[in-house]
Amino acid sequence: MHINQSIEPQDEELLLHPPKTGGRRWVKVTLGIMVILLAAWYFLGGDGQKGSNTEAPDQQGRQNPATGGLAPSRHLIPLVVSEGGSKPSPSPLSTVARKGDKAREFIKALRDQEGEIDLDGIFERAEQFKDEEMLVDAHLMYFFAAKQGHAESALILGSMYDPDHTLETPNVVEDPSWTQAYKWYVKAADGGNEAARERLKYLRKEVERAAAKGNSEATRLILQWR
């Protein structure tokens, strides 16, 4: 069987000059790159030239009609610098009297005067301080009167320290104490205050209950109780 191995002229032309597939695609890619480069040059290079002719804005951002730029603001707050190194005026808080100063002055005046001290008057002044919410002054006045033997003042001090009564009277006691309550209740009872005697009875029960649970303060107080 004879096989025709001849090549037709058109086939030979295809072998010698094969078609360039994808030629148009490369042309499009090249054109696209050129467009991108031109756009980048326009936006980056053009903005740099434009920015060189523009003045920086001030805080108000107003236009300067003479230069075409932005005019400086005329409404800036001036910087005030103190001269002479003068000291600042004292704060009003520094002139406020310390808590308790009124009571201290009152007690000092009582000690300086001759004659018997009016303990009932001191108690009344302490009550006024309490009503005015000057609790430190009130505490000092109660304390002074109680030390001098004023039974009612001692009862109030005992109530301030008594854990079961500390909230009944506004006070400055931060740590209630059975020991301190006992001390002032005894002083009030010795001065003839019946309410203090009743408080001592109730306090004794509370302290015994706490001592049975191992409370060290209650245990020591039971040993000192008379």
Side-chain angles (χ1 to χ4, degrees):
M1 181 178 63
H2 177 71
I3 300 176
N4 185 9
Q5 297 182 354
S6 63
I7 299 176
E8 298 293 335
Q10 61 271 22
D11 296 333
E12 184 179 7
E13 183 67 18
L14 290 175
L15 290 175
L16 294 175
H17 304 286
K20 298 180 180 180
T21 60
R24 294 181 179 179
R25 183 179 61 185
W26 285 108
V27 172
K28 292 180 180 180
V29 171
T30 303
L31 290 175
I33 293 174
M34 292 178 65
V35 170
I36 293 173
L37 292 176
L38 287 173
W41 174 85
Y42 175 79
F43 287 107
L44 297 180
D47 287 349
Q49 294 177 356
K50 293 178 182 179
S52 62
N53 296 326
T54 304
E55 295 182 5
D58 70 341
Q59 294 180 356
Q60 297 293 331
R62 295 185 292 112
Q63 188 73 22
N64 188 338
T67 62
L70 296 174
S73 172
R74 297 181 181 178
H75 302 285
L76 296 178
I77 300 175
L79 177 63
V80 178
V81 180
S82 60
E83 298 180 358
S86 59
K87 296 182 180 180
S89 58
S91 169
L93 294 178
S94 63
T95 61
V96 177
R98 294 182 305 160
K99 293 180 179 179
D101 275 358
K102 287 189 176 182
R104 294 185 185 95
E105 293 175 1
F106 191 88
I107 293 171
K108 183 179 182 302
L110 289 175
R111 287 173 173 169
D112 292 341
Q113 73 179 15
E114 297 180 358
E116 186 178 355
I117 297 176
D118 182 10
L119 297 180
D120 289 333
I122 295 175
F123 177 80
E124 291 177 2
R125 191 71 181 95
E127 292 285 280
Q128 291 176 6
F129 281 138
K130 182 188 70 175
D131 294 339
E132 295 170 3
E133 297 184 354
M134 301 174 65
L135 301 183
V136 175
D137 296 86
H139 188 93
L140 292 175
M141 298 293 280
Y142 287 131
F143 180 83
F144 179 79
K147 290 285 288 184
Q148 302 300 319
H150 194 264
E152 194 168 358
S153 295
L155 175 65
I156 290 179
L157 284 177
S159 300
M160 290 180 180
Y161 285 103
D162 191 339
D164 292 321
H165 296 278
T166 185
L167 298 179
E168 295 177 359
T169 303
N171 62 79
V172 294
V173 174
E174 296 181 355
D175 299 315
S177 167
W178 289 310
T179 303
Q180 288 296 318
Y182 169 77
K183 168 186 172 181
W184 293 112
Y185 282 155
V186 168
K187 199 165 188 65
D190 290 345
N193 191 286
E194 289 296 329
R197 294 190 178 97
E198 294 299 321
R199 291 284 181 87
L200 282 171
K201 293 178 182 178
Y202 182 81
L203 183 66
R204 173 79 184 199
K205 295 178 181 178
E206 292 297 312
V207 171
E208 287 178 347
R209 189 178 295 112
K213 295 180 180 179
N215 185 282
S216 58
E217 180 190 3
T219 302
R220 290 193 301 269
L221 183 55
I222 289 295
L223 297 176
Q224 300 171 7
W225 203 287
R226 61 178 176 85

